[in-house]
Amino acid sequence: MTLAIALGGCAAATPDWATIAAANPAPTVTASRETDAVATANADAADDPAIWRNAADPAASLIVGTDKRAGLHVYGLDGRDRHFVDAGRVNNVDLIETRIGGEPAVLVAASDRNDLAAARIALFRLDTAAARLVPIGTVAAGAGEAYGICLAARGDGVDAFMVVKDGTINQVAIDLSGAAPSGRIVRTMKLASQSEGCVVDPRTRRLYVAEEDVGIWRFDAAPDGATTAVPVARVDGRTLVADVEGLAIAPEGAGAGGWLIASSQGDNAFSVYSLADDRYVGRFRIAAGALGAVSETDGIEVARGGFGPDFPDGVMVAQDGDNAPVAQNFKIVDWRQVRRALGLR
């Protein structure tokens, strides 16, 4: 992520967040809970979350978060760290309910950047009862540094969209039917510069990708679909400020209803767009309350539905890049607050 402002020939300086925020006012919400800090201290380490909703017991839902220098954490909805798996340099993460070896399971996929010249996808089964990640293997995902990743169901299988750091997007069909997973690249798309965040709307089969200094694009997620990028939102320094980082979908109603949320990292805000027509809806910030404010956000995730009495309409989880005096973590926001702040209906 790009957080520093270069000063002609001098060392980079920390941005004046107060000045940047004052230039781009936005309503605020506050975090209700936060996770334990990631394992790596004194570094930019926490990056991206994914949420598994326990339909039988929503309050027992789980959050998987990356420490991009060390591995993956599994947190309870209370924020407590339940499990850590040493996976090395894994950057982004997503999960999906599918079948592994013919049995119903929750698949977790992370962008594996342990080899900067060869992108791979690290795959795990989420043991939802024990809140543990069980490694099941890795699959190749093309040349270059693995950066962003998002998943989509396709028939009985899963497509992984690997966003390579240079803006290449490889669609990888993952086969989980055998003793070990396998994958093959079925399509490649390309953006012009560094990209990372991505998300698929499963209802419309639209893939959204964030090109960090440029804006947000969407593609047809079908393996035989067009590879042309359609612009959704441009970095304009006001409604969306570079870097554009994490993306999340908040569905609403039938069809294509709901919102696309983007981390406007350059001014510590989150920009919201209509999924129906790409219209800009508004923006908000996560301010200090009972817990600290959220800033320098990389990955985000939103899950709708009941998550117990404290989160009856869904949750938003956001990486917090400044969680001093301890290491970075993830903040958990009641989705009702966002709806109220922006007047979403």
Side-chain angles (χ1 to χ4, degrees):
M1 60 183 177
T2 305
L3 295 176
I5 299 174
L7 301 177
C10 301
T14 301
D16 183 347
W17 294 122
T19 299
I20 294 170
N24 297 292
T28 62
V29 301
T30 58
S32 300
R33 298 177 189 171
E34 65 180 342
T35 68
D36 292 334
V38 297
T40 304
N42 303 316
D44 177 27
D47 196 275
D48 191 44
I51 303 168
W52 174 72
R53 180 177 178 269
N54 186 334
D57 184 5
S61 299
L62 299 171
I63 299 166
V64 180
T66 59
D67 178 334
K68 62 188 175 185
R69 298 172 183 262
L72 291 159
H73 291 268
V74 180
Y75 302 100
L77 198 58
D78 59 1
R80 185 168 63 88
D81 195 345
R82 303 283 298 277
H83 178 62
F84 174 76
V85 60
D86 181 356
R89 292 163 56 87
V90 287
N91 198 56
N92 279 193
V93 67
D94 200 5
L95 60 79
I96 193 168
E97 294 190 2
T98 185
R99 302 182 78 85
I100 300 176
E103 298 296 325
V106 178
L107 175 71
V108 174
S111 52
D112 184 333
R113 64 197 293 204
N114 286 294
D115 182 345
L116 299 184
R120 298 192 67 83
I121 302 171
L123 299 171
F124 307 83
R125 178 177 60 83
L126 177 61
D127 182 336
T128 56
R132 297 180 64 85
L133 287 169
V134 180
I136 60 174
T138 66
V139 298
E145 182 178 349
Y147 224 45
I149 194 168
C150 50
L151 301 177
R154 178 158 61 92
D156 293 331
V158 173
D159 281 348
F161 294 88
M162 168 59 68
V163 182
V164 182
K165 192 172 185 178
D166 70 357
T168 300
I169 306 153
N170 291 324
Q171 185 168 352
V172 183
I174 298 177
D175 185 347
L176 300 164
S177 61
S182 63
R184 61 185 180 90
I185 296 174
V186 297
R187 188 171 63 139
T188 296
M189 295 154 280
K190 187 70 172 73
L191 295 175
S193 63
Q194 183 167 311
S195 305
E196 182 178 2
C198 71
V199 67
V200 177
D201 187 338
R203 305 166 305 165
T204 60
R205 296 288 300 180
R206 286 179 172 176
L207 165 69
Y208 297 85
V209 183
E211 187 176 4
E212 295 186 359
D213 292 334
V214 177
I216 304 168
W217 305 85
R218 61 176 166 85
F219 296 88
D220 184 342
D224 58 353
T227 58
T228 304
V230 178
V232 173
R234 298 282 188 178
V235 167
D236 61 6
R238 182 177 58 85
T239 62
L240 189 63
V241 181
D243 290 353
V244 188
E245 290 285 343
L247 299 178
I249 294 283
E252 183 73 31
W259 303 277
L260 172 70
I261 303 93
S263 172
S264 176
Q265 191 186 72
D267 70 337
N268 294 339
F270 303 92
S271 302
V272 182
Y273 304 88
S274 166
L275 288 170
D277 56 13
D278 300 336
R279 173 178 49 88
Y280 171 70
V281 173
R283 60 209 317 272
F284 65 97
R285 291 189 174 88
I286 304 174
L291 301 171
V294 171
S295 61
E296 305 171 18
T297 298
D298 278 334
I300 60 174
E301 183 63 290
V302 174
R304 299 296 307 280
F307 282 80
D310 291 337
F311 305 102
D313 192 37
V315 294
M316 175 178 174
V317 179
Q319 182 260 6
D320 187 2
D322 183 3
N323 190 44
V326 297
Q328 296 176 345
N329 72 348
F330 300 90
K331 298 296 195 290
I332 305 170
V333 176
D334 180 354
W335 181 248
R336 293 177 300 176
Q337 285 201 49
V338 178
R339 292 183 63 127
R340 286 194 293 263
L342 295 182
L344 301 179
R345 297 289 184 267

